[in-house]
Amino acid sequence: MRIAVIDENPVRAAIIEDGLAEVGERDVFVISERTGMARAIETIDPEVILIDLGNPSRDMLEEYFAVSRAVSRPIAMFVEQSDDDTIAAAIDAGVSAYIVDGLSQRRLKPILDLAVRRFQAFSRLQTELQEARDALSDRTTIDKAKKILIQKRNIGEPEAHKLLRDHAMNSNKRMVEVAEAIVTAETLLGGGL
């Protein structure tokens, strides 16, 4: 497992690094400079990111939240104190585990496991949501194409559906691809949808 530890404080970074000893096979990379942090993360290409901020300013938090939004990785963030707005901002930024006043060696492995599992669960939900959106979009396009066929050919909905399905099978295309072609052609020919 490739783990990036982001911490400007070398003592606290060492605590995290020591706490990761029980993770097993791992490569730990410590990033101690904020400048060039995004590039360093890209170069390392970690599977998990652990960020220790101690007591950060609002500007520093925003900078780290921007990094969180940019990378699609499990992220555990350690801070010494927090408030409701900051916690909400961390969640919105995609931080998988936001730990307040909880940096200790013995807790690192469970926190790492939590961050990875929450990230995986959230990723599954995002994938399912995107699949549902895609299916709805496909259904809308197919319905538009059926409407066009019903109007142009003066047929009923079952016949329009069969016509789309048969043409898709005969041309070895998905039904939505055929529907998109019909909708596009109708738009280009000036038909009103």
Side-chain angles (χ1 to χ4, degrees):
M1 178 180 286
R2 296 173 66 83
I3 303 170
V5 175
I6 301 172
D7 197 333
E8 293 178 13
N9 181 329
V11 173
R12 290 173 64 95
I15 291 170
I16 293 173
E17 211 169 347
D18 291 345
L20 294 173
E22 63 183 82
V23 170
E25 287 291 318
R26 84 237 177 274
D27 291 322
V28 178
F29 301 87
V30 177
I31 301 170
S32 58
E33 295 290 324
R34 282 183 14 205
T35 55
M37 179 177 37
R39 194 174 316 114
I41 291 171
E42 185 179 324
T43 301
I44 295 168
D45 191 28
E47 295 168 80
V48 180
I49 300 172
L50 301 177
I51 302 173
D52 178 33
L53 298 179
N55 195 6
S57 68
R58 286 258 181 230
D59 291 340
M60 185 189 283
L61 277 172
E62 263 315 305
E63 186 178 329
Y64 282 99
F65 291 160
V67 169
S68 299
R69 287 183 203 95
V71 297
S72 181
R73 302 280 190 281
I75 296 173
M77 186 175 283
F78 298 89
V79 296
E80 288 180 9
Q81 43 188 299
S82 189
D83 57 49
D84 290 345
D85 292 340
T86 306
I87 293 170
I91 292 168
D92 290 344
V95 174
S96 304
Y98 186 81
I99 314 302
V100 179
D101 195 26
L103 179 60
S104 72
Q105 288 181 354
R106 64 180 174 73
R107 293 182 62 203
L108 279 170
K109 183 171 180 347
I111 289 170
L112 183 72
D113 292 342
L114 169 73
V116 169
R117 289 189 177 156
R118 284 197 62 205
F119 177 81
Q120 290 169 341
F122 186 70
S123 293
R124 273 192 309 275
L125 288 173
Q126 284 183 312
T127 300
E128 290 171 10
L129 177 60
Q130 189 57 49
E131 287 171 357
R133 286 179 176 156
D134 291 346
L136 181 59
S137 177
D138 290 353
R139 172 69 18 219
T140 301
T141 302
I142 290 169
D143 287 345
K144 284 181 183 178
K146 286 194 290 188
K147 182 179 176 185
I148 293 167
L149 289 174
I150 289 167
Q151 290 173 348
K152 298 289 182 185
R153 294 223 172 174
N154 198 23
I155 57 177
E157 192 274 334
E159 293 86 4
H161 184 82
K162 183 180 181 330
L163 190 61
L164 274 173
R165 187 188 66 227
D166 290 348
H167 188 75
M169 287 192 324
N170 291 338
S171 60
N172 199 27
K173 293 185 178 183
R174 293 176 45 234
M175 203 162 133
V176 71
E177 293 173 301
V178 174
E180 286 170 346
I182 291 170
V183 171
T184 300
E186 180 68 7
T187 302
L188 289 173
L189 294 172
L193 294 176

